[in-house]
Amino acid sequence: MLSIGAVAKDTGLKVPTIRFYEQEGLIGPPPRTESGRRLFSDKDVRRLTFIRHARTLGFELADIRSLLDLADHPERPCCDADRI
């Protein structure tokens, strides 16, 4: 499990941006330590890296949310992703 600072370094995102993506529901709320510090998994880092890359390509947050939903439900048809 990684701290938010380590995740920021690994993903190239700023700490407030990571908090914003959590607030927007693009990543789930990470578990916290007894002192309240967020702890992120490797899966969270991969998801945040995807979000950063999608933003770099010009995708809006709504489209990224839809793509992430498709990734979370691989049984859905690929044509949904093609539309985005």
Side-chain angles (χ1 to χ4, degrees), residues 41-60:
S41 67
D42 290 336
K43 181 181 176 185
D44 295 323
V45 172
R46 287 190 302 274
R47 195 169 178 102
L48 287 164
T49 300
F50 173 82
I51 295 167
R52 182 185 54 79
H53 184 67
R55 292 292 290 161
T56 301
L57 293 173
F59 283 94
E60 299 292 329

Side-chain angles (χ1 to χ4, degrees), residues 4 9 14 16 23 31 38 42 46 49 56-60 64 67-68 71 74:
I4 196 167
K9 188 175 182 179
K14 295 183 180 184
Q23 181 182 10
R38 292 168 173 87
D42 290 336
R46 287 190 302 274
T49 300
T56 301
L57 293 173
F59 283 94
E60 299 292 329
I64 294 170
L67 289 169
L68 290 170

Side-chain angles (χ1 to χ4, degrees), residues 1-4 7 18 27 30 38-42 44 48:
M1 300 297 275
L2 299 168
S3 70
I4 196 167
V7 172
I18 296 170
I27 61 169
R38 292 168 173 87
L39 295 175
F40 294 88
S41 67
D42 290 336
D44 295 323
L48 287 164

Side-chain angles (χ1 to χ4, degrees), residues 16-29 38 65:
T17 304
I18 296 170
R19 290 183 186 133
F20 173 75
Y21 290 154
E22 177 188 348
Q23 181 182 10
E24 289 295 308
L26 295 174
I27 61 169
R38 292 168 173 87
R65 186 174 285 109

